Amino acid sequence: MGFFGFLILGLIAGAIAKAILPGRQGGGWLVTLLLGVVGAILGGWIGGLIFGGNTLGSFFEIRTWVTAIVGSLIVLLIWGAFAKRRA
């Protein structure tokens, strides 16, 4: 998967994670993009530890989307905890 494909995957995974989690997390599309990309990386890393091997395949594979969304949910939960702490 190329660089732009990874950015699009991160943006969509971040938006899906924001839609799944209740409440208001704050941040615009740039924060969503960054959280999604970081979440995709984290999800791929955790999936690789659990299942062994590379879990981030091509753009249209379901395992790529699941690991990216799960990773984005984790990153979004951490982001929300820090945002509430600062407020």
Side-chain angles (χ1 to χ4, degrees):
M1 179 172 19
F3 178 73
F4 290 111
F6 197 70
L7 288 179
I8 292 171
L9 172 70
L11 180 62
I12 296 171
I16 291 171
K18 277 192 171 187
I20 291 173
L21 284 178
R24 184 179 166 110
Q25 292 85 21
W29 68 271
L30 184 61
V31 172
T32 302
L33 172 72
L34 292 174
L35 292 176
V37 170
V38 170
I41 293 169
L42 178 68
W45 181 74
I46 291 172
L49 288 176
I50 293 172
F51 302 114
N54 186 9
T55 56
L56 287 177
S58 71
F59 186 79
F60 295 106
E61 290 185 33
I62 190 69
R63 66 183 175 154
T64 301
W65 286 94
V66 169
T67 56
I69 292 169
V70 168
S72 296
L73 284 169
I74 293 170
V75 171
L76 194 57
L77 286 171
I78 294 169
W79 172 264
F82 280 121
K84 286 181 182 178
R85 178 186 274 173
R86 289 179 45 200

